[in-house]
């Protein structure tokens, strides 16, 4: 493949071939992804900062400043502009890091989270040798509070609440979790998906730092934040908590540097996140969320006309529908070019209505879906 060099024109052709086999958001047929087309200005910013590495922040004071502004801006959105934190590779790394900090501070290992939690929490417990305690969901598909209460003991390190579950977009009762939290334990909120949606809803449930017991929040700009991949924000309430995962590297100029799991950190996405936030402003995100919710509502009405029942009234831009044999339907829709997914709890056809999904896409999808019922 690479004994000798190859001409750019040939490489470009090969890249075009590979890309043409991929699905692209702009085609409007991917209705299963939690990512979307990044804003144009975010792409430009990403390319400009392609060589920056916040793993050695001493070389990149400008990029570091962008990261500080991004964290402050996300903090403003999440009820506290004075948090510490940084841009990591995504929700997984942010969730792992949050539990890493919580474990090192409390010295305890038990983590309580709902069955709806993203699988990154299982990775975290595995890597950090922590004890996962999974709790059932109630009828509203949120964490069962009685079970949480019954499972709290002296070994508790953290409770995790989800603000926008991966499958259904449900939001746990975070104020109630906060009331149950023992004094020294952590309350981590996974708003990887909800972080750029819930604050822009007319009627958002409470989930952020305005609840005093909330210790840390994951919110991913590379999902509804319109930034490029990889951009996952972790915000923690107290700056000194991050010191608890710090490792010295005296040969690097570490001043001002984030203590993180990654060494070399892709920093282009930091610039892209900054660009997306500056370009849209909170008003722009508000419009975008409104548009996604309108399309979600439109899909929901179409489903009802076909006699399909939603698993829950969508709170966010995710719609899960009870259909007969969802896996078969998914397969058949895929043959027609649609990418939809199947939720497990409960088994249902799952549509994620990101900004690239238009009413026209929904019309096309439902026409094909109707022919399969
Ligand atoms: N927390 C929640 C609530 C999530 O939904 C996700 C990912 C994560 C954490 C982990 O985030 P990262 O994937 O950034 O580490 N949710 C989607 C999922 O796993 C991610 C995704 C995105 C999947 C695009 C497919 C796709 O095409 O299903």
């Amino acid at each position: 493949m690479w004994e000798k060099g190859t001409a750019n024109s040939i490489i470009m052709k090969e890249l075009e071939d590979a890309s043409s086999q991929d699905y692209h958001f702009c085609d409007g047929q991917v209705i299963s992804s939690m990512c979307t087309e990044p804003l144009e200005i975010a792409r430009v910013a990403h390319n400009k900062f392609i060589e920056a590495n916040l793993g050695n922040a001493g070389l990149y004071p400008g990029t570091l400043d962008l990261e500080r502004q991004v964290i402050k801006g996300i903090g403003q959105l999440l009820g506290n502009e004075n948090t510490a934190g940084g841009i990591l590779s995504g929700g997984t790394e942010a969730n792992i890091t949050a539990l890493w900090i919580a474990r090192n501070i409390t010295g305890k290992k038990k983590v309580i989270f709902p069955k709806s939690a993203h699988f990154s929490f299982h990775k975290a417990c595995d890597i950090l040798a922590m004890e996962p305690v999974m709790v059932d969901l109630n009828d509203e598909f949120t964490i069962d509070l009685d079970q949480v209460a019954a499972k709290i003991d002296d070994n508790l390190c953290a409770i995790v609440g989800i603000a926008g579950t991966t499958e259904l977009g449900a939001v746990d009762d975070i104020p109630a979790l906060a009331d149950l939290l023992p004094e020294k334990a952590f309350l981590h909120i996974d708003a990887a998906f909800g972080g750029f949606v819930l604050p822009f809803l007319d009627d958002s449930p409470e989930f952020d730092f305005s609840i005093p017991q909330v210790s840390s929040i994951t919110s991913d700009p590379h999902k509804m934040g319109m930034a490029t991949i990889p951009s996952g924000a972790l915000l923690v309430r107290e700056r000194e908590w991050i010191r608890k995962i710090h490792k010295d590297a005296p040969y690097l100029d570490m001043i001002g540097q984030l203590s993180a799991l990654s060494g070399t950190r892709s920093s282009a996405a930091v610039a892209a996140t900054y660009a997306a936030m500056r370009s849209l402003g909170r008003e722009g995100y508000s419009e975008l969320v409104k548009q996604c919710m309108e399309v979600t509502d439109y899909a929901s009405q179409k489903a009802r006309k076909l006699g399909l029942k939603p698993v829950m009234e969508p709170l966010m831009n995710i719609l899960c529908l009870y259909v007969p044999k969802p896996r078969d339907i998914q397969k058949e829709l895929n043959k027609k070019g649609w990418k939809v997914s199947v939720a497990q709890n409960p088994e249902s056809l799952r549509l994620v209505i990101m900004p690239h999904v238009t009413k026209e896409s929904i019309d096309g999808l439902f026409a094909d879906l109707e022919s399969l019922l």
Side-chain angles (χ1 to χ4, degrees), residues 210-229:
S210 49
I211 302 168
Q213 294 91 333
V214 168
S215 318
S216 52
I217 304 182
T218 291
S219 169
D220 283 356
H222 71 199
K223 296 190 168 77
M224 280 293 288
M226 306 303 286
T228 56
I229 296 169

Side-chain angles (χ1 to χ4, degrees), residues 3 42 44 50 60 77 107 132 171 195 210-211 231 271 293 367 371:
E3 201 175 337
V44 173
I50 201 83
Y60 304 102
L77 194 60
V171 177
S210 49
I211 302 168
S231 182
M293 292 310 296
S371 70

Side-chain angles (χ1 to χ4, degrees), residues 185-188 209 213-217 235-238 241:
F186 267 63
L187 179 55
H188 173 64
F209 287 113
Q213 294 91 333
V214 168
S215 318
S216 52
I217 304 182
L235 276 67
V236 300
R237 187 179 284 278
E238 302 291 342
W241 290 350

